[in-house]
């Protein structure tokens, strides 16, 4: 600690230059925090995937429905302990921009399949009991100011009712939520009762969009998936079954490979920071050769001078990194608020902080070691002679 | 005897060429002496001073300071030895511009186990001794050349070294300020018992020393009496 003023003195010898470099590090880590949050949000479906869950869709297209009758047959496959299914409603609420997911589900099967969702017992029972009942994600409820017991007028872009009307109405009977912020993004959904939906729709009766299966042993997941697909091979409705994580990643990649895009942007950002900070450190060292020689003259060992120069790089990047990450974490509630819940909730998780710490350390070493070694090799008489 | 130098030779390699700067120097400096090392440019004055102060090591010969052979010490041992036994004063002061006068003086004490309060107290004593206690919080750029050199002297004496080595300490100062600095060095020598070895071009500055040595082409001789007009 007693050397800290010396480190700070070296660092802030040229205040403007150091502050500008620091600002660029802050912005780089702010960008890192934000982009990682976006990447996490896109991958949250995959991250929250359960290794014991499989997803079955039609073999050739995810939008082709499968018979609801498959449920009983899938349940008979050895290793399968539970089956749920869901269908895409294609919802539109009030206007085009208010689009959110509405799934027609068997309430008991579906809620049992996702224990990570929190629903009160009263809301669960009400949803199972009410044919026109609906559960809505807490963020949707807050965004639109819905209240339990109210009617939800939701239009479908796919499914007309028997009378040809695309306008549907459900009773909001409960709220679906999740404690883990990574999973909360998956609750931006309205669940409706498939019994009512299937009876009331004009087309596609007796069919559903996809199945979700829970297997007894995660090690057997792929074997069970193959068994399910074999069961329906050569039928009019062949299936494709895969682990939930693969399904979620594949689904996210339909939008674009966000992870790869984020990585490429961040590599460019940190490479720029490496050059910028390295230049600052190198310039700072060249200007301070006589001062470093004086430190050695009064008795600072080569090791101490090396450590002092390295510490400057560590302090600069640690300060910038911590500030950038703190700002990124601090502005998330405002970013989420400004998006009005139309995007999965963004947050900076502990893993992102750990990655930031690792990047700080790697950058500090890459930037600090060359000048530190130069300082170590500095011969006092040569350095002082150069200053005469 | 504080400093005993025997048969010291110093070579430098410049390009592919080896240059012998000092040719077998023998020198004794008694404890409490104030020696002025004079001679033309390139005569090896600073090289000899650097060897006495442990900033460089000889190619051959021995250097004993206060009973210890410093020519055999490793780089780390020499650093520790310098911190404990030698104070340095240079022509261009070499203060750290971003630190206050007090913090500059405290620098050598960072290597000791003294507490922050103790370091501050020692620094203030040294600054008082050089007459700059009231400038403790000033940065070097806020001080005159003479004041900067006083701070450098305070830094040199703060750890109470036996030996002070001064390389052209008045080379960058006007005549009156130089006289003040030299008087201060004289006080440190006479009243505080510091042994001083000072390199200077200036015969007037050399007059403040008890003994003047003349170095020419790497060979040492007692300087003849100099009469300055």
């Amino acid at each position: 600690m007693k050397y800290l003023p010396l480190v700070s003195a070296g660092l802030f010898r040229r205040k403007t230059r150091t502050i500008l470099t620091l600002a660029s590090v802050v912005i780089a880590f702010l960008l890192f925090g934000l982009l990682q949050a976006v990447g996490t949000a896109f991958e949250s479906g995959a991250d929250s995937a359960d290794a014991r869950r499989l997803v079955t869709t039609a073999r050739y297209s995810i939008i082709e429905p499968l018979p609801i009758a498959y449920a009983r047959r899938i349940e008979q496959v050895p290793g399968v302990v539970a089956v749920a299914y869901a269908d895409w409603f294609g919802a539109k609420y009030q206007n085009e921009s208010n689009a959110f997911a509405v799934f027609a589900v068997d309430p008991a099967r579906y809620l049992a399949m996702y224990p990570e969702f929190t629903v009160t017992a009263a809301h669960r029972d009400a949803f199972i009991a009410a044919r026109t009942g609906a559960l809505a994600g807490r963020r949707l409820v807050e965004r639109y100011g819905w209240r339990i017991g109210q009617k939800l007028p939701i239009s479908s872009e796919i499914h007309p009712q028997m009378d040809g009307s695309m306008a549907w109405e459900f009773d909001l009977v409960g709220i679906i939520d999740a404690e883990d912020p990574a999973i909360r993004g998956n609750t931006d959904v309205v669940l409706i009762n498939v019994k009512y939906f299937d009876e009331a729709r004009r087309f596609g009766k007796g069919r559903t969009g996809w199945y979700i299966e829970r297997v007894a042993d995660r090690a057997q997941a792929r074997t069970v998936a193959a068994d399910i697909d074999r069961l329906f091979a050569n039928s009019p409705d062949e299936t494709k079954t895969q682990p939930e994580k693969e399904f979620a990643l594949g689904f996210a990649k339909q939008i674009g490979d966000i992870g790869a895009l984020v990585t490429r942007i961040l590599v460019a950002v940190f490479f720029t920071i490496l050059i910028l900070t390295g230049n600052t450190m190198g310039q700072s060292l060249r200007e301070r050769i006589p001062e470093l020689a004086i430190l050695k003259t009064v008795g600072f060992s080569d090791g101490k001078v090396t450590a002092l120069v390295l510490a400057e790089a560590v302090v600069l990047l640690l300060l910038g990194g911590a500030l950038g990450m703190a700002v990124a974490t601090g502005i998330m509630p405002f970013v989420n608020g400004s998006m009005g819940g139309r995007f999965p909730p963004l947050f900076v998780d502990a893993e992102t902080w750990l990655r930031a710490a690792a990047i700080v350390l790697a950058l500090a070493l890459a930037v600090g070691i060359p000048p530190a070694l130069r300082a170590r090799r500095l011969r006092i008489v040569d350095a002082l002679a150069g200053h005469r | 005897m504080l400093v005993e130098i025997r048969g010291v030779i110093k070579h430098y390699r410049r390009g592919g060429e080896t240059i012998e700067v000092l040719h077998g120097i023998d020198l004794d400096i008694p404890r409490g002496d104030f020696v002025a090392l004079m001679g033309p440019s390139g005569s090896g004055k600073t090289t000899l001073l650097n060897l006495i102060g442990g900033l460089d090591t000889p190619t051959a010969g021995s250097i004993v300071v206060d009973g210890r052979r410093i020519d055999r010490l490793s780089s780390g041992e020499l650093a520790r030895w310098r911190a404990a036994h030698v104070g340095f004063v240079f022509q261009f002061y070499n203060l750290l511009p971003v630190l206050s006068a007090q913090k500059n003086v405290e620098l050598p004490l960072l290597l000791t186990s003294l507490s922050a309060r103790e370091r501050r107290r020692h620094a203030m004593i040294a600054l008082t001794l050089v007459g700059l206690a009231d400038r403790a919080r000033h940065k070097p750029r806020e001080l005159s050349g003479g004041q900067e050199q006083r701070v450098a002297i305070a830094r040199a004496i703060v750890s109470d070294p036996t030996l002070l080595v001064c390389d052209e300490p008045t080379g960058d100062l006007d005549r009156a300020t130089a006289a003040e600095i030299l008087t201060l060095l004289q006080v440190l020598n006479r009243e505080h018992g510091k042994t001083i070895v000072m390199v200077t071009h200036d015969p007037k500055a050399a007059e403040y020393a008890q003994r003047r040595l003349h170095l020419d082409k790497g060979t040492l001789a007692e300087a003849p009496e100099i009469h300055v007009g």
Side-chain angles (χ1 to χ4, degrees):
Chain A
M1 279 304 277
K2 64 181 174 181
Y3 297 113
L4 203 58
L6 210 51
V7 172
S8 152
L11 207 52
F12 290 98
R13 192 174 183 274
R14 302 256 178 188
K15 274 199 189 105
T16 310
R17 184 176 64 198
T18 303
I19 287 170
L20 288 175
T21 308
L22 188 64
S24 62
V25 177
V26 170
I27 289 167
F29 277 90
L30 169 63
L31 202 59
F32 172 77
L34 291 174
L35 288 177
Q36 283 293 114
V38 171
T40 304
F42 267 88
E43 286 167 10
S44 60
D47 287 343
S48 59
D50 188 331
R52 289 177 59 208
R53 279 199 296 255
L54 302 173
V55 175
T56 300
T57 59
R59 183 176 176 186
Y60 298 108
S61 170
I62 193 172
I63 60 169
E64 282 297 317
L66 293 168
I68 291 179
Y70 275 12
R72 298 279 175 217
R73 295 179 66 189
I74 294 173
E75 277 171 344
Q76 303 304 314
V77 174
V80 172
V81 293
V83 178
Y85 48 89
D87 200 6
W88 184 255
F89 180 80
K92 190 174 70 176
Y93 176 66
Q94 292 174 336
N95 58 59
E96 297 289 340
S97 63
N98 289 341
F100 46 80
V102 175
F103 298 155
V105 302
D106 177 310
R109 284 175 182 266
Y110 195 84
L111 293 177
M113 186 58 71
Y114 294 99
E116 61 267 40
F117 295 161
T118 52
V119 183
T120 65
H123 289 178
R124 179 188 300 262
D125 293 345
F127 183 41
I128 292 170
R131 276 165 48 82
T132 55
L135 285 186
R138 178 170 299 284
R139 294 199 329 147
L140 288 180
V141 170
E142 287 168 0
R143 192 200 315 171
Y144 297 117
W146 293 338
R147 293 184 191 287
I148 304 286
Q150 78 162 73
K151 297 281 183 195
L152 290 184
I154 302 174
S155 299
S156 173
E157 293 184 316
I158 306 168
H159 300 285
Q161 295 202 55
M162 295 297 283
D163 60 4
S165 166
M166 302 301 271
W168 293 71
E169 201 169 71
F170 305 98
D171 298 305
L172 182 61
V173 296
I175 291 172
I176 184 169
D177 202 358
E179 284 173 14
D180 185 341
I183 294 170
R184 197 166 295 142
N186 298 347
T187 66
D188 288 347
V189 66
V190 171
L191 302 179
I192 57 170
N193 196 322
V194 72
K195 271 187 191 155
Y196 166 66
F197 171 68
D198 200 46
E199 281 174 21
R201 66 178 163 177
R202 190 167 182 177
F203 308 112
K205 286 180 186 293
R207 299 180 82 84
T208 190
W210 64 93
Y211 284 92
I212 311 106
E213 300 90 6
R214 176 174 295 116
V215 295
D217 178 3
R218 69 174 66 183
Q220 296 297 313
R222 287 193 184 278
T223 310
V224 174
D227 289 346
I228 293 170
D229 291 343
R230 202 172 300 118
L231 194 62
F232 305 111
N234 302 316
S235 76
D237 295 296
E238 290 192 309
T239 58
K240 179 183 176 186
T241 305
Q242 54 191 329
E244 187 179 50
K245 184 164 190 166
E246 275 177 32
F247 175 78
L249 282 175
F251 197 76
K253 279 185 180 169
Q254 288 184 339
I255 301 169
D257 193 343
I258 301 297
L261 189 67
V262 165
T263 304
R264 281 182 206 134
I265 294 171
L266 290 175
V267 164
V269 167
F270 285 120
F271 184 72
T272 310
I273 288 298
L274 184 74
I275 303 288
L276 194 69
T277 321
N279 184 48
T280 301
M281 293 299 299
Q283 226 174 340
S284 166
L285 184 91
R286 282 193 293 278
E287 289 164 1
R288 289 186 297 143
I289 294 268
E291 292 168 29
L292 294 172
I294 282 299
L295 289 181
K296 286 192 174 188
T297 300
V298 300
F300 281 69
S301 64
D302 291 343
K304 277 205 168 72
V305 173
T306 308
L308 280 174
V309 174
L310 195 57
E312 288 176 21
V314 171
V315 168
L316 179 70
L317 284 153
L318 200 61
L319 203 60
L323 273 172
M325 288 297 292
V327 174
T329 307
I331 64 170
M332 282 308 172
F334 302 102
V335 173
N336 286 328
S338 71
M339 288 190 296
R342 279 183 286 276
F343 196 79
L346 297 178
F347 59 94
V348 180
D349 58 3
E351 194 184 324
T352 304
W353 274 92
L354 283 177
R355 281 186 193 171
I359 292 170
V360 161
L361 190 66
L363 281 176
L365 291 178
V367 160
I369 283 178
L373 288 180
R374 197 174 161 202
R376 182 186 186 86
R377 287 193 295 264
L378 195 71
R379 290 189 71 238
I380 301 172
V381 288
D382 294 338
L384 291 177
H387 190 51
R388 265 185 215 121
Chain B
M1 203 60 65
L2 184 71
V3 180
E4 294 170 76
I5 297 175
R6 295 290 176 269
V8 161
I9 294 170
K10 182 66 184 174
H11 290 168
Y12 282 121
R13 286 192 68 80
R14 200 159 293 158
E17 202 182 347
T18 302
I19 300 163
E20 188 167 300
V21 185
L22 299 175
H23 316 296
I25 300 284
D26 293 317
L27 173 64
D28 288 334
I29 301 174
R31 195 177 293 276
D33 203 357
F34 185 170
V35 180
L37 265 177
M38 303 181 70
S41 293
S43 59
K45 304 185 296 293
T46 296
T47 301
L48 182 57
L49 193 74
N50 287 342
L51 292 175
I52 294 170
L55 295 178
D56 204 357
T57 48
T59 309
S62 69
I63 302 173
V64 176
V65 180
D66 209 7
R68 186 153 191 204
R69 274 201 71 166
I70 63 166
D71 56 286
R72 289 180 173 173
L73 297 180
S74 69
S75 155
E77 287 169 334
L78 260 183
R80 282 193 291 279
W81 177 80
R82 286 196 303 272
H85 297 98
V86 195
F88 295 87
V89 181
F90 298 98
Q91 180 178 355
F92 294 112
Y93 332 126
N94 286 331
L95 300 175
L96 269 60
V98 282
L99 297 182
S100 66
Q102 181 203 308
K103 290 284 179 197
N104 264 288
V105 175
E106 275 185 42
L107 270 184
L109 301 180
L110 289 175
L111 300 165
T112 67
S113 56
L114 291 175
S115 67
R117 175 183 281 190
E118 279 294 290
R119 290 199 301 270
R120 249 191 327 271
R121 196 175 70 81
H122 279 72
M124 285 311 294
I125 291 171
L127 281 169
T128 305
L129 209 60
V130 299
L132 279 182
D134 58 335
R135 295 282 190 274
R137 291 182 183 281
H138 287 62
K139 298 273 175 65
R141 65 168 182 276
E142 297 159 354
L143 302 172
S144 68
Q147 287 171 330
E148 278 195 79
Q149 193 60 299
R150 282 170 185 270
V151 174
I153 292 171
R155 182 179 65 192
I157 61 172
V158 72
S159 51
D160 196 21
T162 327
L163 179 65
L164 283 185
V165 296
C166 311
D167 193 357
E168 300 275 12
T170 57
D172 200 40
L173 300 174
D174 61 59
R175 184 61 69 187
T177 312
E180 285 173 21
I181 294 297
L182 289 163
T183 305
L184 177 60
L185 290 177
Q186 238 174 12
V187 169
L188 290 172
N189 171 244
R190 288 177 185 166
E191 296 178 17
H192 299 273
K194 301 295 172 199
T195 305
I196 300 177
V197 184
M198 175 177 75
V199 161
T200 182
H201 273 104
D202 181 1
K204 275 212 162 201
E207 281 200 333
Y208 285 81
Q210 292 169 15
R211 190 152 65 110
R212 286 166 286 279
L213 299 172
H214 192 83
L215 199 61
D216 193 10
K217 293 177 184 165
T219 308
L220 200 59
E222 289 282 339
E225 280 302 309
I226 304 162
H227 299 283
V228 183

